[in-house]
Amino acid sequence: MPPIYKLITCLVALVGDLSLITTGELNPLIYIPGSLMFVGYYRAIKGLPQAHRYLTGTLSTVVLLLFFFDAFYLSRDIIVGVSHMSILFHTLKSFDIKDPWDPLQVFFMSLIQLLLASELTRSLAFGAVFLLFIVLIVFAIFYSHLMKEGVPTVRPFLRPLFSIMGIVVLLTAIFFVSTPRLRGSLIGVGLSRGIRSGFSESIKLGGLEEVKLDPTVVMRVTVKPMGRPFIQGNPLYLRGSTFELYREDTWIDLDRAFQTSSRKYRAGPGGIVFSDARRDLYQEVVLEPLDSELLFYTGTPVMLQSEAGEVYLTEDGALSLPRKRSKRFRYIIYTTTDPRPVKGPLMEYLQLPGGLRRVKALAEEVAGGTSEPMQKAHSVEAYLRQNYTYSLNPSRVDRSVSPVEDFLFNTRRGYCEYYATAMVLMLRTLGIPARLVTGYLAVEYNQYGNYYIVRQRDAHTWVEAAVDGLWLTFDPTPSTAEEISRSDLLLFLDFLKMKWQRYVVGFSSYDQRRIAGLLARPIRFGFKAPAGRPDLRWVVYPVPVLFTAVLLIYLMRRHRLPPVSRFFFEIRRSLGGEPSITGTELLQQLPPSHPLFGELREFVLLYHRLRFSPRRDEDLFRRYEALYRSLRKALRGRSPSPEVPEERYTRNQGQQV
Amino acid sequence: MRIEPTREGKRFLLALLVVGFTSLNTGNNLMYLTFSMMAALFVISLVAGFLNLKSLQTALQVDEPIFAGQSKEILLSVKNRKWFTSYSIRFLLEGITREGLYIAKVPPGNVTRINQRVLFQKRGVYEMRYAIVQTSFPFIFFRFRQKAPLSAGTRGTTLRVVVYPRLLDIERVFGTAILTEEQRGRLLQTEGEEVHSLRQYRPGDHWRAIHWKSTAKRGDLMVKEFVVDEPERVTVVLDNSLCKEEEAFEKAVSLSASLLYEAVQRGYSVRLITSSKAFPFGSGMEHLWRMLDCLAVLRSPRPFEAVPPMEEREILFLVLPDEKTFLGHLIPRAERVFYASDI
């Protein structure tokens, strides 16, 4: 077995291990025995004696026993246990590379590792490892073929090898896109290991501190304006749900808790249509697995396109799926930027817990003498923004009062929940219906992909108040959040991650349908048939199909002639010669006085030399080709071309004849 | 074209099905990715292997004559009539080579030639209409096989290779020359009409026999040798009527062929008599090949119907597989009797 084959085997094993390591799910202790693989392959490449089969057999049994211990007691995870075991087997095998069959076992083991890794991770690193694996595995099994044929070197096969690598990558992409997807599993329960974050129908004041420190990406949102101006990169309020009832320091979403005003919408041909309002914004959201069924958006929803067959939308605008999703979810939502009109009774938005006299007094003081609800709301918002300090650690000063009162009168420090709660309660004490809105405030904009990166720490609460018949948004939280400054490289990497998550990890049957639609109608026409005339745009579609078919037939012709014969046959046909006559006979048919006789004689002479010579002379061929072109032009009624490389040909002819 | 999955191919196919089902079941797109890669490898293995063998034209030439036990060069020409190159192809020539001939690549439109020395173990006629063209390119999952007609062989559309019996070094086998010095002397003489060859001058040679031109060229006296007007006649009688032991029979055939070969080489007028066929006297290589053709295919024992009469001046060699023979009456007449069982 040549050392290069052992080296490739080592690399395939390494990539297999790497695919598991990049998941970050393994016990770091496994790296110690895993790294012994290098010693094994070093010995194999150097041709040193390999381990005795009794030794490898015994150690394999030990590894198997270790697997049971690991899977059921140590890691308590079968997949992680199998991953550990595969790394150990790789190490063992590296000391036992004797027969040509051994590398094939290593390749197979690496393939299993790749499958295990695909279950343990969704990261972009998997994509990089996967590409590396394709290149190596193609090389490795190609080399196995050569080994079987007894060919010692791969050098003569480099061109087909690289072509095959390219075709494998291309076909992998095609198969990936076209393989049918099922919406559910056939057998068993899926092992989902996605990111989860909390978003429930009740929130206790002060419970968001941990979330506000979490940099995990929750979603990526692409926004495109559809008529109305929109400034990309400006903060974007992505609403989730609204809370109406405040009791015992806890906000409760009555609609979600009791399913009171939520209405079910089913998907139609183009998606789920909520209203016929104007579509101002297009938002494409890739939502990570969340411990919530909520869908986030900005504005008022008009239409939703997604895999979901049905959704629920409350009067407050909380959009949700029938159940929580354990997988990444992508949806496109069209919204209008017009404020929601106030509908129905507003009693629940004026609900107040008892004992808020000081709050009411403060609200009245802040509102001053104005009677306009809009003025009052703006005054309260401005007061809170200007007189309180943003803090993620608002320690309580007086535990005998409610957290809101403690925030308003004692600590004067807090984060969005405190601000929003305080404003809602203050507005309610002033008789203005208000509600708390939770969601995310997207502030991180990636200019490489033109999308917002939304993290857990962007979780936000703000206020909606019923003013002048409309629900208007107020945000009393001062914008003291730290400046987001990320390097271009990190932003670019995030862009790659988004594309990976969107087009690979999150590829769905919905995408398949879109691609199928695109393939069926690849050309979008900017014109329409005149009224009363038939629409002939479809005529364009068969053209590329026919062109491709003709090209394929031409390329795959069974008896495609080499150029030497083809040139001669063409000239013979042009001169009206029968297919059965030879070059000499063709020449005999032409009188010597014919203006083309000289050229034709040389052409026929060269044809004989090139056609029946075992080796092709390039100079002769160039001359032959030049004569062919010249004759062809002349036979079409043009003058013979003077551009014949005479000099070099004559010199070489002198040497060769 | 026959497509056979290899052991590795069968296992890979099984793994592909398992991974495919798992992907479908879990809906895990990364698993789909791995499945797609495996499917791509599988499809390329099938398509590339299939296309690799298409439109190949083969021709085989063998350097004749061929004697059993001799290694001879065979030349395989392969023409690729596709528009793309064929790679890693093995040509199996049944009965001629076990491993076959391997060609790394055949460029489009070109004829690629490969030669290999092949040992022909047994005498006989090897007839081939097809070469088996085989490849497992580019991977090791499938073996593709198809028959490629040997369209431009040496003898028309069917390649017919006659392997003559093994030639024995008779002098080494028997320790003495088969033809005595006297017999040899009778073959060539320094007087006559037809010049056979030149040799160095020996004392006693007539000066008229000196070839002056070559003497001047070599600086040594050279004389002309002439063929005798009526060459001596040699008859080889092979008794293949009773022999049932194959090994002895083969040895007898080889011995007969060797005697004929040596005698013809020395210019004798030679004939062969077997129970199956009797040849008239003749000389020259064409006559020799005809007799060897007969010996190449000589198989089943047949009783002698009649033994042609012997002449006075002929040298008779009697080749008997063993001591059992119907030709006992020829033994006293024979110059020499060879028993194949003694070889």
Side-chain angles (χ1 to χ4, degrees):
Chain A
M1 211 186 300
I4 180 87
Y5 191 43
K6 291 175 186 171
L7 182 68
I8 294 164
T9 310
C10 174
L11 289 175
V12 173
L14 186 65
V15 170
D17 283 358
L18 202 65
S19 67
L20 288 173
I21 291 167
T22 51
T23 62
E25 298 279 340
L26 302 190
N27 189 332
L29 278 177
I30 201 71
Y31 301 158
I32 298 166
S35 57
L36 285 176
M37 184 180 79
F38 294 109
V39 181
Y41 279 111
Y42 176 79
R43 289 177 60 81
I45 290 166
K46 284 283 173 189
L48 296 170
Q50 296 295 284
H52 196 276
R53 64 193 173 100
Y54 289 127
L55 181 67
T56 49
T58 311
L59 286 173
S60 300
T61 315
V62 172
V63 168
L64 204 63
L65 292 173
L66 272 175
F67 158 70
F68 288 112
F69 178 70
D70 180 24
F72 295 108
Y73 292 100
L74 218 59
S75 351
R76 293 174 182 275
D77 190 317
I78 298 276
I79 293 183
V80 173
V82 175
S83 304
H84 289 156
M85 183 174 68
S86 71
I87 289 177
L88 291 178
F89 272 136
H90 258 332
T91 303
L92 274 183
K93 197 70 204 165
S94 69
F95 288 92
D96 186 29
I97 302 289
K98 293 171 191 158
D99 307 320
W101 174 244
D102 291 325
L104 295 177
Q105 290 179 351
V106 175
F107 304 157
F108 192 68
M109 182 72 79
S110 295
L111 187 70
I112 290 172
Q113 285 183 317
L114 201 70
L115 290 168
L116 290 168
S118 68
E119 192 54 44
L120 289 171
T121 184
R122 304 283 185 276
S123 75
L124 180 63
F126 180 88
V129 173
F130 181 77
L131 271 179
L132 200 59
F133 186 82
I134 286 190
V135 170
L136 280 172
I137 201 73
V138 170
F139 193 41
I141 49 176
F142 191 91
Y143 210 103
S144 310
H145 160 76
L146 296 183
M147 287 284 299
K148 233 178 177 181
E149 292 291 357
V151 182
T153 174
V154 75
R155 201 176 290 266
F157 301 96
L158 285 178
R159 188 186 273 190
L161 176 62
F162 288 124
S163 308
I164 285 170
M165 272 179 195
I167 296 169
V168 168
V169 172
L170 186 72
L171 269 185
T172 301
I174 292 171
F175 284 139
F176 177 75
V177 169
S178 56
T179 315
R181 261 72 168 177
L182 294 180
R183 292 196 176 185
S185 62
L186 300 171
I187 298 170
V189 181
L191 283 165
S192 176
R193 291 159 183 271
I195 311 152
R196 288 166 189 276
S197 53
F199 237 94
S200 60
E201 57 255 20
S202 66
I203 49 169
K204 191 170 172 64
L205 204 60
L208 263 180
E209 287 170 31
E210 202 182 313
V211 172
K212 292 292 286 179
L213 292 168
D214 187 356
T216 310
V217 174
V218 175
M219 67 182 115
R220 292 176 175 86
V221 184
T222 307
V223 183
K224 290 177 191 167
M226 300 176 77
R228 286 203 177 174
F230 176 81
I231 301 169
Q232 297 283 7
N234 270 8
L236 190 72
Y237 286 91
L238 296 160
R239 57 184 288 135
S241 62
T242 55
F243 293 84
E244 302 84 20
L245 181 65
Y246 184 69
R247 195 169 60 189
E248 294 170 2
D249 311 329
T250 301
W251 280 104
I252 296 165
D253 181 358
L254 292 172
D255 290 334
R256 285 170 69 207
F258 303 108
Q259 299 281 317
T260 50
S261 72
S262 61
R263 187 180 156 195
K264 187 192 277 188
Y265 288 86
R266 289 185 189 281
I272 300 172
V273 180
F274 304 110
S275 73
D276 54 359
R278 192 184 59 239
R279 297 172 191 181
D280 296 328
L281 289 178
Y282 162 97
Q283 297 159 59
E284 186 179 347
V285 183
V286 180
L287 195 62
E288 298 296 320
L290 275 176
D291 189 22
S292 169
E293 65 278 8
L294 283 173
L295 301 180
F296 300 87
Y297 62 91
T298 190
T300 308
V302 177
M303 194 173 98
L304 177 79
Q305 289 176 336
S306 73
E307 271 197 318
E310 57 183 34
V311 291
Y312 292 92
L313 181 67
T314 65
E315 282 295 329
D316 296 343
L319 184 63
S320 60
L321 296 165
R323 63 193 71 84
K324 292 174 186 176
R325 293 189 63 92
S326 58
K327 291 178 182 173
R328 187 170 287 101
F329 187 68
R330 176 180 161 273
Y331 57 93
I332 294 165
I333 186 162
Y334 297 90
T335 59
T336 177
T337 50
D338 290 335
R340 279 184 183 75
V342 174
K343 285 181 189 170
L346 296 170
M347 286 301 292
E348 60 193 37
Y349 304 111
L350 291 166
Q351 174 267 336
L352 280 168
L356 291 177
R357 277 193 300 274
R358 285 181 72 192
V359 176
K360 186 176 184 201
L362 177 68
E364 283 170 351
E365 185 189 330
V366 170
T370 181
S371 59
E372 284 294 314
M374 180 71 91
Q375 281 290 333
K376 285 179 183 176
H378 277 304
S379 300
V380 173
E381 183 187 40
Y383 172 77
L384 288 171
R385 275 181 171 244
Q386 289 160 14
N387 296 293
Y388 292 82
T389 311
Y390 187 88
S391 171
L392 280 173
N393 300 301
S395 49
R396 294 285 297 269
V397 171
D398 184 359
R399 291 193 176 272
S400 62
V401 294
S402 71
V404 177
E405 284 178 300
D406 205 23
F407 163 70
L408 282 174
F409 305 110
N410 299 327
T411 65
R412 303 179 77 86
R413 299 165 71 84
Y415 49 86
C416 57
E417 264 186 342
Y418 289 91
Y419 284 92
T421 304
M423 184 171 174
V424 171
L425 294 182
M426 285 170 79
L427 289 179
R428 285 185 181 182
T429 57
L430 294 172
I432 301 170
R435 61 192 182 195
L436 191 87
V437 185
T438 60
Y440 292 93
L441 178 60
V443 288
E444 192 176 342
Y445 187 71
N446 189 328
Q447 62 270 31
Y448 288 102
N450 297 323
Y451 62 90
Y452 288 90
I453 303 167
V454 184
R455 298 172 187 278
Q456 276 285 61
R457 66 178 175 215
D458 297 328
H460 194 55
T461 48
W462 61 95
V463 176
E464 279 183 356
V467 179
D468 300 334
L470 295 170
W471 283 106
L472 300 179
T473 298
F474 297 90
D475 190 355
T477 311
S479 52
T480 51
E482 57 185 289
E483 277 293 309
I484 306 291
S485 62
R486 306 188 76 201
S487 73
D488 285 349
L489 180 66
L490 285 176
L491 286 174
F492 186 69
L493 271 178
D494 191 85
F495 165 69
L496 289 181
K497 275 184 195 169
M498 190 210 179
K499 294 292 172 193
W500 168 257
Q501 302 289 2
R502 165 67 190 86
Y503 291 109
V504 180
V505 178
F507 191 79
S508 62
S509 55
Y510 173 74
D511 294 310
Q512 286 181 316
R513 287 197 297 275
R514 275 188 63 198
I515 291 169
L518 202 68
L519 288 175
R521 284 284 173 107
I523 306 162
R524 288 178 190 278
F525 297 98
F527 62 89
K528 280 185 178 178
R533 298 291 175 89
D535 185 358
L536 294 174
R537 285 178 292 179
W538 63 271
V539 174
V540 179
Y541 289 105
V543 174
V545 177
L546 271 176
F547 176 76
T548 314
V550 169
L551 188 72
L552 278 175
I553 290 167
Y554 174 75
L555 289 174
M556 298 185 79
R557 275 185 312 166
R558 198 179 159 84
H559 304 297
R560 195 177 175 210
L561 289 168
V564 172
S565 302
R566 205 171 63 234
F567 292 169
F568 173 72
F569 293 163
E570 198 177 324
I571 296 298
R572 184 174 62 187
R573 198 167 49 244
S574 303
L575 284 166
E578 291 295 317
S580 58
I581 66 167
T582 63
T584 315
E585 286 167 344
L586 184 71
L587 204 59
Q588 284 166 356
Q589 284 184 359
L590 215 65
S593 57
H594 194 280
L596 293 175
F597 185 81
E599 266 187 307
L600 187 70
R601 188 172 57 185
E602 191 182 353
F603 178 76
V604 169
L605 181 77
L606 287 180
Y607 165 66
H608 286 154
R609 287 198 59 182
L610 289 165
R611 172 71 180 80
F612 301 105
S613 167
R615 207 182 293 171
R616 192 164 113 170
D617 187 311
E618 286 305 320
D619 289 334
L620 285 187
F621 181 75
R622 269 196 290 278
R623 172 68 183 164
Y624 178 68
E625 192 176 21
L627 282 167
Y628 156 72
R629 290 186 195 289
S630 170
L631 281 168
R632 196 177 60 172
K633 271 187 187 175
L635 290 168
R636 281 179 185 171
R638 295 176 201 160
S639 62
S641 166
E643 51 188 78
V644 179
E646 192 83 47
E647 190 187 329
R648 189 168 177 199
Y649 160 68
T650 314
R651 193 177 65 243
N652 281 340
Q653 195 188 36
Q655 287 167 0
Q656 286 160 6
V657 172
Chain B
M1 190 183 295
R2 278 185 66 187
I3 305 170
E4 299 164 2
T6 58
R7 183 178 63 168
E8 295 84 4
K10 284 175 189 165
R11 290 176 188 192
F12 187 80
L13 182 61
L14 188 69
L16 179 70
L17 293 175
V18 170
V19 175
F21 179 77
T22 315
S23 311
L24 212 61
N25 191 38
T26 59
N28 181 343
N29 271 328
L30 299 188
M31 216 171 265
Y32 268 108
L33 208 56
T34 311
F35 168 73
S36 304
M37 178 199 66
M38 291 173 74
L41 290 175
F42 190 79
V43 168
I44 286 174
S45 193
L46 266 175
V47 175
F50 181 79
L51 294 177
N52 202 33
L53 286 196
K54 292 290 280 180
S55 304
L56 291 179
Q57 200 174 35
T58 55
L60 189 69
Q61 285 174 304
V62 185
D63 185 13
E64 292 182 292
I66 309 162
F67 291 92
Q70 275 186 353
S71 69
K72 278 282 180 181
E73 200 151 80
I74 57 172
L75 177 74
L76 182 79
S77 308
V78 185
K79 185 173 184 184
N80 182 2
R81 300 175 71 184
K82 296 189 291 286
W83 57 276
F84 52 88
T85 308
S86 284
Y87 291 95
S88 191
I89 298 164
R90 193 169 284 282
F91 294 85
L92 302 174
L93 305 168
E94 213 171 319
I96 295 183
T97 60
R98 188 177 292 173
E99 299 84 18
L101 283 83
Y102 179 78
I103 294 184
K105 66 175 176 181
V106 189
N110 280 16
V111 176
T112 304
R113 294 178 180 87
I114 182 170
N115 54 356
Q116 186 175 315
R117 290 198 80 80
V118 173
L119 181 69
F120 292 89
Q121 291 286 5
K122 289 184 175 175
R123 68 185 173 89
V125 177
Y126 296 79
E127 281 196 349
M128 290 181 66
R129 289 178 64 84
Y130 301 99
I132 305 289
V133 191
Q134 179 181 298
T135 189
S136 58
F137 179 85
F139 304 134
I140 46 172
F141 302 143
F142 294 99
R143 193 181 298 116
F144 297 83
R145 281 177 167 219
Q146 76 170 15
K147 290 175 177 175
L150 291 164
S151 57
T154 49
R155 300 185 187 190
T157 53
T158 304
L159 179 78
R160 187 168 178 271
V161 179
V162 180
V163 179
Y164 298 131
R166 187 184 297 263
L167 285 186
L168 304 174
D169 185 350
I170 296 167
E171 287 189 21
R172 209 182 61 185
V173 171
F174 295 100
T176 55
I178 305 294
L179 298 167
T180 61
E181 280 303 315
E182 188 193 352
Q183 287 163 348
R184 288 184 188 204
R186 274 189 280 170
L187 179 68
L188 297 168
Q189 58 189 30
T190 51
E191 286 179 31
E193 289 181 3
E194 191 188 341
V195 177
H196 178 267
S197 57
L198 296 174
R199 65 165 169 79
Q200 276 192 323
Y201 176 83
R202 291 179 203 152
D205 286 339
H206 198 276
W207 63 269
R208 275 187 300 216
I210 293 171
H211 189 257
W212 295 107
K213 203 171 178 181
S214 57
T215 301
K217 202 181 278 178
R218 293 199 179 193
D220 200 5
L221 277 176
M222 302 296 288
V223 293
K224 292 175 275 189
E225 280 190 329
F226 296 89
V227 178
V228 289
D229 295 338
E230 281 187 34
E232 287 292 332
R233 292 178 161 186
V234 171
T235 299
V236 176
V237 178
L238 168 63
D239 181 7
N240 59 326
S241 61
L242 281 179
C243 181
K244 282 180 182 163
E245 198 186 329
E246 195 182 340
E247 193 184 342
F249 179 69
E250 287 299 324
K251 283 178 180 174
V253 172
S254 284
L255 184 59
S256 307
S258 309
L259 289 168
L260 292 170
Y261 187 82
E262 185 162 327
V264 170
Q265 290 289 318
R266 292 183 185 285
Y268 284 89
S269 181
V270 183
R271 69 170 171 170
L272 168 71
I273 297 168
T274 68
S275 65
S276 324
K277 193 167 184 179
F279 288 85
F281 282 106
S283 57
M285 296 311 281
E286 276 302 312
H287 182 62
L288 174 69
W289 301 139
R290 275 197 293 275
M291 291 186 290
L292 291 182
D293 277 344
C294 168
L295 287 179
V297 294
L298 193 65
R299 293 282 172 217
S300 55
R302 282 176 56 187
F304 270 102
E305 287 170 5
V307 180
M310 298 296 141
E311 293 177 14
E312 274 299 312
R313 291 188 61 198
E314 71 182 305
I315 303 163
L316 173 64
F317 292 124
L318 201 53
V319 181
L320 306 173
D322 48 39
E323 290 179 355
K324 292 178 196 168
T325 178
F326 286 124
L327 304 175
H329 61 284
L330 289 177
I331 292 174
R333 170 70 184 79
E335 188 87 15
R336 193 154 176 184
V337 180
F338 300 96
Y339 292 101
S341 53
D342 293 345
I343 301 170

